[in-house]
Amino acid sequence: MKVVGHFINGETCTPKGRMQDVHNPATGQAEKLVLLASSQTVNDAVISAQSAFPEWRNTPVSKRARIMFAFKNLLEAHSEEIIALIGAEHGKISHDAAGELQRGIENVEFACAAPQLLKGEHSKNVGPGIDSWSEFQPLGVVAGITPFNFPAMVPLWMFPLALVCGNTFVLKPSERDPSCAIFLAKLLKEAGLPDGVFNVVNGDKEAVDSLLDNERVKAISFVGSTPIAEYIYTRANAAGKRCQALGGAKNHAIVMPDADVDNAVNQLLGAAFGSSGERCMALSVVVAVGNEVADRLVDKLQTAMLGLKVGAFDEASNDFGPVITAQHKDKVEGYITSAEQQGAQIVVDGRQISVAGYEDGFFVGATLIDHVLPQMSSYQAEIFGPVLQVIRVESMQDAMQLIDDHEYGNGTCIFTRDGEAARFFSDNIQVGMVGINVPLPVPVSYHSFGGWKRSLFGDLHAYGPDGVRFYTKRKTITQRWPSSGVREGVSFSFPS
Ligand code: NAD
């Protein structure tokens, strides 16, 4: 069976050690093995990154950007291979994987602007004959730890920007879909990146803890579930590292009585069931304001869901694929059962579906649950599956209160024709990314991505302007070159 190893100092390597199966979620079969790095292997990767840092830091920023530009071209040239790798290990449909890759490439495009982004700030004559400027210096070795659900895009949120800022990088991708990261590393090398600047270690908790404990690692970017994000953030901070840790989500869409319900239904289908609901921005709860709109919405959703097609990634007419593992399938179905037992109404039931030719795949069908209440566990938890729940409330204030009371605050959306209501909502809701008639308000690459409350630990969001700040430290230099003949006396007061 093929073994997916690591990429250290410009080479793939497969040292002896622990391994884990990598499944194809559509067939349900283990088709590869992934090596789980020991702390020794992680240390090798960090030392390789540390050794490459001095020269990379001093490489002109325009040259760093040129390599990133070549990388972008290679990503486009090899897009079909990347999409196939994502499909075979994650299971998402090829058009969905293409969308993920495109959003990732946009982050590479943003990173190509590094010469402009790193120009710093300059002030002349802050005092007589004194100039002052701030520059943004790289941190050193930085690490990225990423989730299974975007094996290309989330790593691309991190390392292109970190690299053009002059850092060297160690990526620890999800052990459930590890091949994409190795492929990206090979493309970076082909683009001209010097050996050691970018390294990949595959692995599990042992690899993550080794990165957290390694004092050469100066910063950690993490994306994954909230309990692990909190753990990473706490432990990285205790070790004196800079850390941004993005966690889980429960994203609500408010549907107001005046909304265009047909449009809302169309938008909700993609936002709730696309990628089998395994997106941190998936809309998993509809909050319908008033029973009249709720009834129409549920009725139209039920009809529209009959047309959804579930299947394997390489059949482009499918709408979404399997979930990631057999355990995850059980977990998602368990939440549907719990909602039923706690009194909610299962309108469309995706449990126990079978896909012809893929009977052992980890498929869950699109599920719609009505009359969900806030105290139900299916509402409180992030299900991360193709499950859309409907909560009925009486007013927009009730809907906003519900959203604000939830532990997560990643994304949200309002469907309305009322500009005043939309403005009030976006201004006041306690959520980091807000859509107005836009169901998946994922910021473009030149803004930054991040949730509020327990969806993000840290001060800076991912990529965009916040990404530049995260991967650099500010140094401010104040300079005077006394001209001959001008000598000032000694001053003991604070400079003003
Ligand atoms: P996960 O938390 O299980 O794993 C994420 C990473 O942490 C992986 O690399 C994994 O190897 C590592 N990890 C897992 N358990 C660990 C442990 N005990 N100690 C140390 N490291 C550990 O997340 P996942 O299941 O891969 O991804 C899905 C989750 O990610 C969802 O909660 C989703 O909302 C979240 N997510 C969030 C965003 C965001 O931007 N906020 C984006 C994508 C995914």
Side-chain angles (χ1 to χ4, degrees):
M1 210 186 282
K2 181 177 165 37
V3 175
V4 184
H6 317 295
F7 189 93
I8 298 174
N9 204 24
E11 303 293 337
T12 49
C13 60
T14 50
K16 283 200 167 30
R18 292 185 301 128
M19 289 199 252
Q20 179 175 311
D21 289 341
V22 179
H23 287 87
N24 178 332
T27 63
Q29 303 305 312
E31 295 183 356
K32 297 173 196 162
L33 289 163
V34 60
L35 271 172
L36 304 174
S38 63
S39 56
Q40 180 58 49
T41 301
V42 171
N43 198 43
D44 291 348
V46 173
I47 286 178
S48 146
Q50 178 71 49
S51 311
F53 177 61
E55 198 175 328
W56 182 244
R57 171 195 195 277
N58 289 323
T59 300
V61 63
S62 55
K63 185 165 178 202
R64 299 200 296 251
R66 231 171 276 141
I67 292 171
M68 208 43 70
F69 198 78
F71 178 57
K72 172 196 130 70
N73 288 339
L74 287 168
L75 286 171
E76 285 168 347
H78 291 274
S79 61
E80 291 304 321
E81 289 144 277
I82 297 170
I83 289 166
L85 275 181
I86 297 172
E89 295 180 4
H90 176 283
K92 66 177 73 173
I93 305 303
S94 53
H95 50 78
D96 190 22
E100 150 170 13
L101 180 59
Q102 176 54 32
R103 291 304 291 257
I105 288 173
E106 288 168 17
N107 290 97
V108 182
E109 288 169 349
F110 180 75
C112 290
Q116 175 70 15
L117 297 169
L118 295 176
K119 275 200 319 206
E121 298 156 355
H122 188 269
S123 300
K124 194 173 166 68
N125 279 337
V126 295
I130 303 176
D131 304 327
S132 186
W133 71 92
S134 295
E135 58 188 40
F136 300 101
Q137 299 197 346
L139 308 176
V141 179
V142 302
I145 300 162
T146 52
F148 80 84
N149 66 323
F150 285 108
M153 184 185 77
V154 170
L156 288 169
W157 283 0
M158 299 175 180
F159 69 77
L161 206 46
L163 296 181
V164 293
C165 288
N167 302 283
T168 55
F169 205 92
V170 179
L171 173 65
K172 206 302 283 172
S174 171
E175 62 275 39
R176 289 181 265 179
D177 43 17
S179 298
C180 188
I182 301 287
F183 194 87
L184 298 181
K186 290 178 182 167
L187 292 187
L188 274 173
K189 182 174 168 117
E190 196 180 333
L193 194 76
D195 290 349
V197 173
F198 181 72
N199 308 271
V200 179
V201 286
N202 275 306
D204 56 6
K205 181 171 170 56
E206 182 176 345
V208 171
D209 287 349
S210 306
L211 286 168
L212 289 167
D213 291 345
N214 195 311
E215 61 187 27
R216 292 188 179 91
V217 176
K218 300 301 176 205
I220 305 257
S221 293
F222 173 87
V223 176
S225 60
T226 285
I228 310 299
E230 188 168 30
Y231 164 74
I232 302 271
Y233 184 72
T234 308
R235 194 154 159 179
N237 269 316
K241 299 183 199 311
R242 188 177 284 192
C243 184
Q244 53 180 186
L246 282 68
K250 191 84 174 176
N251 305 310
H252 301 64
I254 297 183
V255 179
M256 296 289 284
D258 68 348
D260 175 343
V261 173
D262 289 318
N263 175 53
V265 166
N266 272 338
Q267 307 285 339
L268 284 167
L269 288 179
F273 305 123
S275 212
S276 314
E278 290 176 326
R279 292 176 179 149
C280 67
M281 290 293 275
L283 276 182
S284 51
V285 182
V286 182
V287 190
V289 178
N291 278 325
E292 193 270 332
V293 78
D295 289 342
R296 274 196 293 143
L297 193 68
V298 169
D299 191 46
K300 285 174 186 278
L301 275 169
Q302 183 177 14
T303 307
M305 284 168 66
L306 295 175
L308 293 178
K309 238 183 112 194
V310 188
F313 79 94
D314 48 2
E315 174 58 63
S317 64
N318 288 333
D319 294 303
F320 63 91
V323 299
I324 187 71
T325 57
Q327 294 83 339
H328 193 55
K329 174 177 156 74
D330 290 346
K331 183 178 144 191
V332 173
E333 292 183 344
Y335 278 120
I336 301 171
T337 304
S338 78
E340 189 174 35
Q341 287 168 348
Q342 289 169 23
Q345 181 194 344
I346 313 294
V347 181
V348 181
D349 191 347
R351 290 171 291 184
Q352 314 304 337
I353 65 153
S354 179
V355 174
Y358 295 91
E359 285 76 9
D360 294 329
F362 311 137
F363 293 98
V364 181
T367 298
L368 181 64
I369 312 179
D370 195 4
H371 298 287
V372 172
L373 299 175
Q375 60 271 24
M376 293 180 180
S377 47
S378 65
Y379 172 71
Q380 285 162 7
E382 179 185 37
I383 298 179
F384 224 52
V387 181
L388 181 59
Q389 302 183 77
V390 180
I391 292 202
R392 295 163 177 246
V393 296
E394 285 178 6
S395 67
M396 179 175 160
Q397 283 71 18
D398 292 346
M400 288 177 65
Q401 192 63 51
L402 193 68
I403 297 171
D404 287 349
D405 286 346
H406 206 284
E407 68 167 312
Y408 298 120
N410 216 40
T412 188
C413 163
I414 187 167
F415 290 102
T416 183
R417 290 186 168 104
D418 181 341
E420 187 185 355
R423 193 165 187 274
F424 182 82
F425 174 74
S426 65
D427 197 23
N428 291 288
I429 200 74
Q430 297 301 301
V431 173
M433 293 171 281
V434 179
I436 296 166
N437 298 316
V438 170
L440 291 179
V442 178
V444 290
S445 63
Y446 39 98
H447 286 257
S448 297
F449 181 108
W452 285 12
K453 296 187 280 183
R454 288 174 60 76
S455 290
L456 186 144
F457 301 86
D459 301 315
L460 291 169
H461 289 194
Y463 67 75
D466 271 18
V468 179
R469 286 285 180 272
F470 184 79
Y471 292 123
T472 56
K473 52 189 172 188
R474 175 185 288 264
K475 183 178 277 180
T476 305
I477 298 118
T478 305
Q479 160 182 282
R480 170 166 55 188
W481 294 103
S483 55
S484 57
V486 179
R487 293 285 181 270
E488 292 172 22
V490 178
S491 170
F492 291 94
S493 22
F494 200 69
S496 61

